Amino acid sequence: MTKLKNLKKSTKSNLITFGIVILFYIVVQILSGADLLTSSFSGQLVPICAYVVLAVSLNLTVGILGELSLGHAGFMSVGAFAGTLVWVLLCETAPAWLALILAFVVGGIAAGLFGVVVGVPVLRLSGDYLAIVTLAFGEIVKNFMNACYLGYDSTGIHFSLKDSASMGLADDGVVLINGAMGITGVTKASNFTIGIVLVLITLIVVLNLIHSRAGRAITAIRDNEIAAQSIGIQITRYKLMAFITSAVFAGLAGVLYSLNFSTLVAKKFDYNTSILILVFVVLGGIGNIRGSVIAAAILTVLPELLRSMNDYRMLIYAIVLIVMMIFNQSPQMIAWRKRIAERFAARRAKGKHPTKEVG
Amino acid sequence: MALLEVSNLGIAFGGLQAVSKVDLSIEKGHLYGLIGPNGAGKTTVFNMLTGVYKPTEGNIVLDGVDITGKSPEFISKAGVARTFQNIRLFNEMSVLDNVKVGLHNQIKYSMWTGILRLPAFRDREHQMNRQAMKLLKIFDLDGEAGLKASQLPYGKQRKLEIARALATNPKLLLLDEPAAGMNPNETEELMQTVRSVRDQFGIAVLLIEHDMNFVMGICEEITVLDYGRVIARGDGKDIRNNPKVIAAYLGGD
């Protein structure tokens, strides 16, 4: 019985999370059908989805695996550039849906490969090395992409780290990545529906992973590495599994994000973006996937909604941050929420089994 | 040949020889005690047996397999399970999940089966739940399966650690001070449980314990360590009357 209840509890919680996402989608579709959305809000819809995916995937590393990562924007950047390149090269020749799927696949794989490159040497060590290395990784990716010139002509692919002239392109050459100016003239391909689909896929994969044999192993490593080793869990393998999955979804979010704009520049994916995603995770509750979804959505849309009260914008944003932090993290608030929940549960139980009162 | 053969085991940390020339021979289905004053090297021996420390000399052979200096994962798979002196549970996981993690190498399915919820997922999870509940029942923890491990009282946490260790299907179970912090009633109850676990699973148990009633009451053979060396070996009566042991505990020449 207990076992059944237990299973049900996690499934129910997952269903609520999916429900929130789907409800949000339906409400937005109705509002946009009735022409009630401001253009600034509709402009935020794809970024909201991208940030939700980023926050959920980072929560896998920070909350479930328990390792601090400060370079999530780096993986996002790798995915964005790889995916956008594929899209730019294919969107005119291949059918749009195929090009789009390939863009996502390549973006995700590229970010995952960098996850391997970063994770394999670092996750063998125990300690806070991952934070330092991912921090450096994010900066390296940003600086490299800022200085990266890539183009092609009839003679083949040209590449330079100096300037576009030193690529030596022929007259018919096409510049793909133009250093700090990035990739320009991208045909926008992302939309809200694609974003929501990606959010749902992310949630399914991450939640199913957490509530499975592999997920238990990952959580066990977080809770007590020595004990996890003593019961025969391969520490490095499961750490890598969590970290690489996290990187892949950051890459997918990067593709989604970049295909929403006509230009892609590397400096968007800097340290501040990594920290912003980490703020979503911390505010939503470390290890709490649904919290990440809600925090990422609210905090992405808030600065835009507050644009009208320009002077007080950052003040209100800061207050919301503080209130959310208190609501989610303070022990008194947690106890208070528990009491409320228990009272509700008791009332419901009373309604269901009135006879129990007698006994 | 015995289940576990330890010969000439020793380890030095820098210049400090913590343990040297320890021999142990453990038969299947028997209960062994490892005692000694604080700092005698008992837990260090456990850490070498489970791969946490790599011995600098000697050999450990389990059931014909050389496990000297192997990784903890390897040794766990070879059939050694342990509990810890300072309890190491997965505190944020449920009691049930703590045991299910212990079944990690017993009931398997791939990451993809889990993510895509393939039919095997349901089967294996059911199997795991059944097996885990069975183990929890032995330790009278089945009523608390849904609680977080950290919510259990101290005595039950110790039991949960043993249940988790048993989930790995060991041939040899190492218990590091299982009765620490328990009252006499709980200790008595634990003795019964350890005995019945030994009978039911047919495994060998080696335990470190300071509670002499517990050790004398349960162990068929006791090894005494002092300053990292074996100073005596025998059954409860031999040990109690051994002048070397008395000197080690009470001081003297």
Side-chain angles (χ1 to χ4, degrees):
Chain A
M1 264 317 278
T2 345
K3 163 204 96 185
L4 272 177
K5 247 188 243 159
N6 200 19
L7 266 183
K8 261 190 203 151
K9 214 165 90 191
S10 71
T11 320
K12 203 167 136 197
S13 160
N14 293 353
L15 287 180
I16 293 175
T17 312
F18 292 127
I20 291 173
V21 174
I22 292 167
L23 191 71
F24 176 66
Y25 179 70
I26 293 171
V27 168
V28 167
Q29 290 299 29
I30 292 173
L31 287 180
S32 91
D35 217 11
L36 284 169
L37 290 183
T38 63
S39 65
S40 76
F41 183 76
S42 11
Q44 288 301 100
L45 288 173
V46 172
I48 287 174
C49 295
Y51 280 117
V52 166
V53 173
L54 286 161
V56 169
S57 59
L58 183 62
N59 209 342
L60 185 61
T61 300
V62 175
I64 308 301
L65 177 63
E67 294 272 350
L68 186 55
S69 164
L70 296 175
H72 218 50
F75 295 112
M76 188 187 178
S77 180
V78 169
F81 275 95
T84 308
L85 273 182
V86 170
W87 172 248
V88 166
L89 290 172
L90 292 181
C91 70
E92 268 147 37
T93 47
W97 61 270
L98 182 67
L100 196 60
I101 287 178
L102 280 175
F104 274 104
V105 169
V106 172
I109 291 177
L113 286 178
F114 276 88
V116 175
V117 170
V118 174
V120 167
V122 178
L123 288 172
R124 306 169 78 88
L125 312 167
S126 48
D128 294 329
Y129 301 102
L130 191 72
I132 299 161
V133 174
T134 47
L135 172 63
F137 167 74
E139 289 303 296
I140 291 169
V141 169
K142 187 188 78 184
N143 288 323
F144 179 84
M145 291 318 297
N146 252 334
C148 171
Y149 294 85
L150 185 71
Y152 69 91
D153 58 19
S154 47
T155 57
I157 295 171
H158 295 256
F159 171 75
S160 159
L161 284 174
K162 244 165 90 195
D163 50 44
S164 60
S166 44
M167 279 194 295
L169 280 179
D171 290 341
D172 63 337
V174 177
V175 179
L176 289 171
I177 303 177
N178 196 7
M181 311 230 273
I183 304 180
T184 47
V186 182
T187 323
K188 288 190 203 176
S190 293
N191 59 39
F192 185 46
T193 307
I194 296 175
I196 287 290
V197 170
L198 185 62
V199 168
L200 288 174
I201 292 175
T202 311
L203 283 173
I204 290 172
V205 171
V206 171
L207 288 172
N208 281 356
L209 178 66
I210 293 173
H211 298 288
S212 74
R213 172 175 173 267
R216 277 193 298 271
I218 293 165
T219 320
I221 294 169
R222 173 196 71 187
D223 278 4
N224 201 315
E225 196 168 324
I226 291 176
Q229 246 176 347
S230 84
I231 53 172
I233 288 171
Q234 298 147 290
I235 305 290
T236 310
R237 182 193 151 127
Y238 284 101
K239 278 187 175 176
L240 277 174
M241 187 186 283
F243 186 66
I244 292 168
T245 310
S246 170
V248 167
F249 281 103
L252 293 175
V255 181
L256 176 73
Y257 185 89
S258 62
L259 292 185
N260 189 43
F261 301 101
S262 54
T263 354
L264 168 63
V265 288
K267 73 165 192 284
K268 179 73 196 97
F269 310 106
D270 60 357
Y271 179 65
N272 287 335
T273 308
S274 293
I275 293 299
L276 184 71
I277 305 164
L278 190 62
V279 166
F280 298 156
V281 172
V282 172
L283 283 176
I286 290 174
N288 180 346
I289 300 295
R290 195 195 306 156
S292 292
V293 174
I294 296 170
I298 291 180
L299 293 176
T300 308
V301 89
L302 199 61
E304 287 301 318
L305 288 185
L306 296 176
R307 200 164 278 270
S308 54
M309 22 182 146
N310 221 337
D311 288 345
Y312 302 102
R313 192 156 73 112
M314 287 326 282
L315 179 68
I316 296 174
Y317 187 79
I319 291 173
V320 170
L321 282 186
I322 294 169
V323 170
M324 279 179 79
M325 183 69 112
I326 292 172
F327 186 75
N328 270 329
Q329 313 279 331
S330 126
Q332 286 95 336
M333 285 304 281
I334 291 171
W336 178 77
R337 273 157 47 201
K338 216 177 254 174
R339 275 206 305 277
I340 296 282
E342 270 164 17
R343 201 173 302 161
F344 269 109
R347 198 172 298 167
R348 208 180 306 161
K350 232 190 250 172
K352 266 185 198 160
H353 312 283
T355 44
K356 264 195 181 160
E357 294 285 288
V358 186
Chain B
M1 193 174 165
L3 175 68
L4 182 79
E5 284 287 357
V6 175
S7 50
N8 199 29
L9 190 67
I11 187 169
F13 297 107
L16 178 77
Q17 188 74 33
V19 171
S20 61
K21 299 199 174 70
V22 168
D23 297 320
L24 282 172
S25 176
I26 287 177
E27 300 286 347
K28 191 168 174 280
H30 285 255
L31 282 162
Y32 295 81
L34 186 60
I35 63 170
N38 287 327
K42 306 180 293 290
T43 299
T44 307
V45 169
F46 266 30
N47 282 340
M48 285 190 279
L49 294 182
T50 52
V52 177
Y53 296 154
K54 310 231 173 299
T56 43
E57 54 187 316
N59 278 307
I60 310 168
V61 179
L62 179 83
D63 218 5
V65 182
D66 185 6
I67 57 167
T68 322
K70 290 284 197 307
S71 71
E73 295 120 69
F74 180 91
I75 293 176
S76 165
K77 283 178 195 159
V80 180
R82 75 174 292 183
T83 65
F84 296 87
Q85 193 175 347
N86 44 343
I87 303 175
R88 288 179 180 276
L89 287 171
F90 306 124
N91 281 329
E92 295 302 308
M93 300 172 76
S94 72
V95 170
L96 181 71
D97 278 353
N98 266 271
V99 181
K100 281 168 82 176
V101 188
L103 292 166
H104 188 80
N105 288 320
Q106 302 304 312
I107 303 171
K108 298 185 181 185
Y109 59 85
S110 73
M111 176 183 93
W112 291 107
T113 310
I115 288 177
L116 302 172
R117 297 278 137 120
L118 300 178
F121 170 81
R122 256 186 107 89
D123 280 10
R124 303 281 148 72
E125 282 288 313
H126 274 307
Q127 220 178 321
M128 276 186 176
N129 285 331
R130 263 202 313 273
Q131 188 86 13
M133 286 308 281
K134 219 159 68 188
L135 281 164
L136 286 177
K137 198 153 210 160
I138 295 176
F139 293 91
D140 201 21
L141 285 164
D142 47 332
E144 280 106 340
L147 292 184
K148 268 188 192 175
S150 58
Q151 291 174 306
L152 289 181
Y154 186 81
K156 294 199 168 187
Q157 293 199 357
R158 287 239 170 257
K159 287 182 178 177
L160 178 56
E161 231 192 350
I162 303 177
R164 182 184 68 192
L166 283 174
T168 65
N169 192 22
K171 296 169 184 158
L172 171 66
L173 178 61
L174 307 178
L175 302 176
D176 199 344
E177 299 197 23
M182 288 189 175
N183 65 34
N185 284 336
E186 288 173 324
T187 308
E188 181 62 35
E189 197 193 324
L190 183 69
M191 268 164 80
Q192 300 297 338
T193 317
V194 171
R195 264 203 212 99
S196 79
V197 160
R198 186 265 313 257
D199 296 340
Q200 219 173 319
F201 294 83
I203 57 177
V205 179
L206 173 65
L207 56 92
I208 296 176
E209 189 48 70
H210 282 298
D211 185 327
M212 284 306 146
N213 287 329
F214 189 98
V215 180
M216 300 293 173
I218 201 173
C219 296
E220 286 133 6
E221 189 184 310
I222 298 167
T223 303
V224 188
L225 281 186
D226 193 25
Y227 293 110
R229 284 167 190 272
V230 177
I231 57 167
R233 199 190 302 272
D235 62 17
K237 218 174 100 207
D238 295 344
I239 297 297
R240 222 182 310 226
N241 300 324
N242 187 315
K244 272 190 183 164
V245 177
I246 296 169
Y249 270 94
L250 299 177
D253 304 314

